[in-house]
Amino acid sequence: AQSVSQHNHHVILSEAASLELGCNYSYGGTVNLFWYVQYPGQHLQLLLKYFSGDPLVKGIKGFEAEFIKSKFSFNLRKPSVQWSDTAEYFCAVNPQGGRRALTFGSGTRLQVQP
Amino acid sequence: GAVVSQHPSRVICKSGTSVKIECRSLDFQATTMFWYRQFPKQSLMLMATSNEGSKATYEQGVEKDKFLINHASLTLSTLTVTSAHPEDSSFYICSIGGTGGQPQHFGDGTRLSIL
């Protein structure tokens, strides 16, 4: 079975600071990788996804993530955060092939101070 | 627009009550749906995989007799929490499984509070 680790549980940044959230997974096969965001009081929204091709993936709202296969990592980055980025961020994976449920990391709460 | 409709969004009821949560696929036929649970300040945990026309597959530690899943059509799966207790209070979310690496679409979730 696969597992996902998010190392940062709570991150506090000032506006315009750069962001990098760590995500590592373990699985013996090929996986699809996702980052979801959950704004306060709202449902999960997809930020970006990777399933093949260019390991540097660009998502919505200026976010990007890089898949490093050798490190089993899929870290999320943003060069300059805004107050509106305050939310909970979840990394998730599922095995490629078929309809597979997602395995989520524990989440990282990002708090951006104005 | 929304791909998944989940209803109700919030339920508050007394201990011992059974609660039914509906998850509807709006845009396409879903042979597979997933039910997740999210406790406060924790991540989503898969509860079960709902399969149209057959029995659901439950994750280890999830009581199938307590969390009844019915996937009677290609657009509707229901989760019934039977004889709910306060420890069942949680946020329940359904999703439609993607194929070919495409992301899943999530419902808005149901916040269940058992008094």
Side-chain angles (χ1 to χ4, degrees):
Chain A
Q2 61 273 19
S3 65
V4 180
S5 296
Q6 289 182 245
H7 316 297
N8 316 103
H9 297 293
H10 190 189
V11 174
I12 302 174
L13 295 173
S14 298
E15 276 193 313
S18 63
L19 170 73
E20 180 159 3
L21 301 182
C23 173
N24 287 88
Y25 72 93
S26 65
Y27 182 67
T30 308
V31 297
N32 305 308
L33 297 147
F34 308 86
W35 274 98
Y36 284 87
V37 60
Q38 189 173 30
Y39 296 104
Q42 297 186 28
H43 62 90
L44 286 173
Q45 299 175 39
L46 180 69
L47 271 181
L48 48 78
K49 67 183 189 296
Y50 170 84
F51 55 94
S52 67
D54 189 343
L56 183 60
V57 180
K58 294 190 183 299
I60 61 171
K61 304 185 181 185
F63 286 91
E64 65 177 31
E66 184 175 12
F67 171 48
I68 302 178
K69 190 174 181 180
S70 61
K71 295 184 178 180
F72 297 90
S73 69
F74 190 56
N75 292 354
L76 180 71
R77 299 194 293 252
K78 186 171 184 177
S80 176
V81 295
Q82 300 173 317
W83 177 79
S84 57
D85 293 324
T86 295
E88 188 96 19
Y89 292 82
F90 295 95
C91 180
V93 304
N94 71 345
Q96 286 195 2
R99 296 182 179 87
R100 309 290 191 95
L102 294 173
T103 297
F104 286 85
S106 55
T108 297
R109 179 168 297 186
L110 172 65
Q111 185 178 345
V112 180
Q113 296 177 331
Chain B
V3 178
V4 181
S5 172
Q6 187 172 339
H7 177 81
S9 59
R10 185 175 181 101
V11 179
I12 301 173
C13 58
K14 294 180 179 180
S15 184
T17 307
S18 292
V19 178
K20 180 185 283 188
I21 303 170
E22 294 186 347
C23 181
R24 293 183 184 275
S25 172
L26 301 179
D27 281 357
F28 56 89
Q29 296 177 333
T31 56
T32 303
M33 293 186 183
F34 300 103
W35 287 97
Y36 297 86
R37 180 169 54 188
Q38 184 180 27
F39 289 107
K41 299 185 179 181
Q42 296 186 29
S43 187
L44 282 80
M45 299 295 292
L46 179 68
M47 296 177 66
T49 302
S50 173
N51 304 298
E52 188 269 335
S54 64
K55 292 182 179 179
T57 304
Y58 291 82
E59 295 301 298
Q60 190 173 11
V62 179
E63 299 175 58
K64 62 180 181 180
D65 294 330
K66 182 167 186 62
F67 299 98
L68 300 179
I69 291 174
N70 187 325
H71 194 152
S73 77
L74 289 170
T75 59
L76 175 65
S77 174
T78 60
L79 169 67
T80 301
V81 184
T82 62
S83 186
H85 290 101
E87 58 265 29
D88 299 324
S89 297
S90 187
F91 193 59
Y92 294 86
I93 307 174
C94 69
S95 75
I96 301 172
T99 59
Q102 295 306 306
Q104 294 179 9
H105 299 279
F106 288 86
D108 284 347
T110 298
R111 187 166 300 283
L112 176 62
S113 300
I114 307 300
L115 305 177

